[in-house]
Amino acid sequence: MAHTDGEMLFGFHWIWGVILLAVVLILFGVGRLPSVGEGLGRGIRDFRKALSGGDDASKGGPPESGKN
């Protein structure tokens, strides 16, 4: 079945994407949207790193502390 305008893409109609975007803008506001995206990206990156076993603490080096 071919995709045409107005049909569902990945199981969602395009209007649901617009509604979701509007709800996110109402909840977080335009000013906080970049920080929300940054936090979400950092969380996904950390999750992938943990799944692949690329944890910084397991590299064998001593933990760094801010105290001198």
Side-chain angles (χ1 to χ4, degrees):
M1 181 178 239
H3 173 73
T4 60
D5 292 334
E7 287 186 9
M8 295 182 357
L9 181 64
F10 301 115
F12 295 103
H13 197 272
W14 66 270
I15 194 70
W16 291 113
V18 173
I19 292 171
L20 179 64
L21 181 62
V23 169
V24 167
L25 285 175
I26 289 170
L27 288 177
F28 296 109
V30 177
R32 284 194 54 201
L33 203 54
S35 64
V36 170
E38 180 183 347
L40 182 62
R42 187 179 305 126
I44 291 172
R45 201 168 31 247
D46 290 343
F47 180 73
R48 286 183 182 168
K49 196 182 295 185
L51 284 179
S52 67
D55 192 13
D56 292 337
S58 66
K59 290 188 178 179
E64 291 186 27
S65 64
K67 299 176 185 176
N68 286 334

